[in-house]
Amino acid sequence: MSYGSALATSYSKPYWDGLVQGLIRIQRCIACGNCQDFPQGRCRHCLSENLAWIDASGSGTLLTFSSVHRAPSPEFSKYIPYIVGMVSLPEGIQLMSRILVEDESELVLDMPMSAKPIQWPDTAYVLGFEPKRKTS
Ligand SMILES: [Zn+2]
């Protein structure tokens, strides 16, 4: 199984392992109850080291987005243009993510989103969100 192991640290390994399983794992402080991103050894709110990993709901709302037209490195050239955005989670954090639509005209600010971790570019699992599909 391939994932962004080069990106994983002892603090962030549960996050990266979660993406491989289709989950968003985030740190929640046992002392104050706040969640945080990016993973680290202390709570950024109260400095407690008493942190636990929880599975986020996978839902969120789109705060903002932008199309990328210039590849940040050669590995990404075959993907441009692609869309990145900030998604607000009900757990109280905001995550930068790939936004999985073909065209930004499909996006509206504050629209409901669903998490969908993907392999990108081809080898590493990264966080992705797509518009939440309406159920009839
Ligand atoms: Zn705390």
Side-chain angles (χ1 to χ4, degrees), residues 62 65-67 69 81-83 99-109 111 113 131:
L62 183 62
F65 61 90
S66 182
S67 293
H69 293 271
Y82 59 87
I83 300 171
I99 303 297
L100 306 170
V101 294
E102 291 296 320
D103 189 285
E104 67 183 42
S105 67
E106 301 173 49
L107 300 173
V108 178
L109 295 182
M111 72 189 306
M113 306 292 283

Side-chain angles (χ1 to χ4, degrees), residues 4 29 35-36 46 69 71 84-86 92 113 116-117:
C29 177
C35 293
Q36 66 183 13
C46 73
H69 293 271
V84 296
M86 289 292 292
M113 306 292 283
K116 184 180 179 185

Side-chain angles (χ1 to χ4, degrees), residues 29 31-33 43 45-48:
C29 177
C32 74
C43 171
H45 303 280
C46 73
L47 301 180
S48 170

Side-chain angles (χ1 to χ4, degrees), residues 25-30 34-35 49-54:
R25 289 204 180 115
I26 55 177
Q27 286 183 314
R28 184 171 187 273
C29 177
I30 302 298
N34 285 301
C35 293
E49 295 178 353
N50 195 4
L51 300 167
W53 286 92
I54 63 168

Side-chain angles (χ1 to χ4, degrees), residues 60-81:
T61 54
L62 183 62
L63 291 178
T64 189
F65 61 90
S66 182
S67 293
V68 177
H69 293 271
R70 181 175 294 176
S73 64
E75 296 83 14
F76 292 87
S77 3
K78 67 182 176 183
Y79 299 103
I80 55 173

